[in-house]
Amino acid sequence: MEEKKVIYYTDELNEEFSTAKIEPRVIDENYKYIHKNPIWNITSYIVQNFLSMPIKVLYAKIKFRIKYIGKEKLKQYKNEGYFIYGNHTQPFADTFIPSIANYPKRNYFIVNPENISMKYLKTIVEMLGAIPIPSNKKAMKNFLEAIEKRVQSKYSITIYPEAHIWPYYTKIRPFKTVSFKYPIQLSKPSFCMTNTYQKYGENKIKIVTYIDGPFFPNKELTIKEQQQDLRDQIYNMMVERSKNSNIEYIKYIKKEN
């Protein structure tokens, strides 16, 4: 492991520490969330679940020695669509850690527009399951229809409610309730995956991912209260699991005002 890096921050909700600087494309009402071309869809399936999977598994095993705890919880819902919430601590590995855990179920991701704005890679990223957040209200209808279609097709959708990447961060940042409306609207279960960083050998680091759930909305509450309750259930579980991290590759220090 290299010498520990230090990052100073001021805002847990809005600061971004990914090194990639990409100009985001506009996701408007003309963006095609659902492709009707059968060739595109077949190619997407092959790319997502066959061609890319050996690369995902090898990368996760070789670089991070990844270990999953609780994968059996997902298997109980192999015939149903669901949502996965995770902590956002890897710019590349976060795109496939959930996909490995619930394979062979297809997994989709709600992503920022930057993720599908790379000139030569945007189509591949879309085929791998990216569902970009709309840039305007006119595109929202298509966005929501895509989420519903994927979940009703018995696929999973991964969401990173922290929204911004903090590489190797070992705690859980506070996050908003907005992304928890989808399981409520569609009456689907939710799971959380908490990536922790644990040492092995002589100061080396590995990822241990804890899978918890299912979590369900409390239908006795109002919609807003359900969102808050579901968010709190998942947040509290992730905070508890994050305590299993026992090594810091990057140290984050909050600046004093």
Side-chain angles (χ1 to χ4, degrees), residues 3-106:
E3 185 177 349
K4 186 183 294 185
K5 180 181 178 182
V6 177
I7 291 178
Y8 293 90
Y9 70 91
T10 57
D11 185 353
E12 292 104 324
L13 280 174
N14 299 303
E15 282 191 90
E16 170 75 56
F17 293 112
S18 170
T19 55
K21 303 300 179 185
I22 303 168
E23 184 69 27
R25 62 186 285 193
V26 174
I27 308 299
D28 59 18
E29 64 275 17
N30 297 314
Y31 179 79
K32 191 177 292 186
Y33 280 100
I34 303 295
H35 291 263
K36 296 181 180 179
N37 185 332
I39 296 176
W40 198 99
N41 287 308
I42 291 170
T43 304
S44 174
Y45 176 68
I46 293 171
V47 168
Q48 190 179 26
N49 266 34
F50 291 97
L51 296 182
S52 67
M53 192 54 64
I55 299 171
K56 297 172 183 176
V57 173
L58 285 173
Y59 183 87
K61 289 291 185 182
I62 293 172
K63 183 170 177 62
F64 294 113
R65 286 202 172 191
I66 193 164
K67 177 182 179 181
Y68 294 94
I69 296 177
K71 279 202 297 187
E72 70 281 355
K73 297 167 187 174
L74 299 176
K75 300 304 181 185
Q76 297 173 13
Y77 287 82
K78 63 182 180 180
N79 294 320
E80 185 173 351
Y82 50 74
F83 292 86
I84 298 171
Y85 293 87
N87 51 327
H88 211 0
T89 62
Q90 288 294 324
F92 181 52
D94 280 353
T95 64
F96 57 76
I97 287 175
S99 302
I100 297 173
N102 69 357
Y103 185 80
K105 182 188 287 289
R106 295 185 73 178

Side-chain angles (χ1 to χ4, degrees), residues 56-256:
K56 297 172 183 176
V57 173
L58 285 173
Y59 183 87
K61 289 291 185 182
I62 293 172
K63 183 170 177 62
F64 294 113
R65 286 202 172 191
I66 193 164
K67 177 182 179 181
Y68 294 94
I69 296 177
K71 279 202 297 187
E72 70 281 355
K73 297 167 187 174
L74 299 176
K75 300 304 181 185
Q76 297 173 13
Y77 287 82
K78 63 182 180 180
N79 294 320
E80 185 173 351
Y82 50 74
F83 292 86
I84 298 171
Y85 293 87
N87 51 327
H88 211 0
T89 62
Q90 288 294 324
F92 181 52
D94 280 353
T95 64
F96 57 76
I97 287 175
S99 302
I100 297 173
N102 69 357
Y103 185 80
K105 182 188 287 289
R106 295 185 73 178
N107 182 60
Y108 290 80
F109 292 85
I110 294 179
V111 302
N112 289 319
E114 288 89 340
N115 290 272
I116 59 153
S117 301
M118 294 171 282
K119 188 173 182 181
Y120 300 108
L121 295 175
K122 59 183 180 181
T123 300
I124 294 295
V125 175
E126 289 172 332
M127 286 186 170
L128 287 170
I131 304 176
I133 296 170
S135 303
N136 60 39
K137 290 183 179 180
K138 290 182 178 179
M140 182 60 70
K141 179 176 179 292
N142 296 336
F143 172 73
L144 295 175
E145 286 178 352
I147 291 173
E148 182 174 5
K149 179 176 175 59
R150 299 311 182 194
V151 170
Q152 299 300 359
S153 297
K154 302 180 182 180
Y155 304 144
S156 61
I157 293 181
T158 295
I159 301 171
Y160 290 103
E162 293 172 327
H164 303 283
I165 299 173
W166 285 29
Y168 292 92
Y169 190 60
T170 57
K171 297 179 182 178
I172 306 299
R173 288 164 276 150
F175 46 76
K176 299 176 182 178
T177 63
V178 61
S179 64
F180 294 87
K181 63 184 177 183
Y182 310 120
I184 294 168
Q185 292 171 344
L186 299 172
S187 297
K188 293 296 181 181
S190 300
F191 294 85
C192 62
M193 289 189 186
T194 311
N195 295 322
T196 66
Y197 295 93
Q198 301 184 24
K199 60 184 177 182
Y200 73 93
E202 191 64 34
N203 211 31
K204 294 181 180 179
I205 192 167
K206 65 180 179 181
I207 290 179
V208 179
T209 300
Y210 295 88
I211 301 170
D212 291 288
F215 302 93
F216 294 95
N218 183 346
K219 296 298 185 179
E220 295 182 358
L221 303 176
T222 66
I223 297 298
K224 287 290 185 183
E225 289 171 340
Q226 287 182 54
Q227 281 184 237
Q228 186 67 53
D229 178 68
L230 186 59
R231 177 264 182 206
D232 291 346
Q233 288 183 64
I234 289 175
Y235 177 79
N236 292 336
M237 178 57 72
M238 293 175 72
V239 168
E240 193 61 34
R241 291 299 194 186
S242 71
K243 295 175 183 177
N244 290 304
S245 289
N246 56 22
I247 190 168
E248 279 188 320
Y249 180 56
I250 298 177
K251 187 174 184 63
Y252 288 82
I253 299 175
K254 189 166 186 174
K255 294 179 183 177
E256 296 183 6

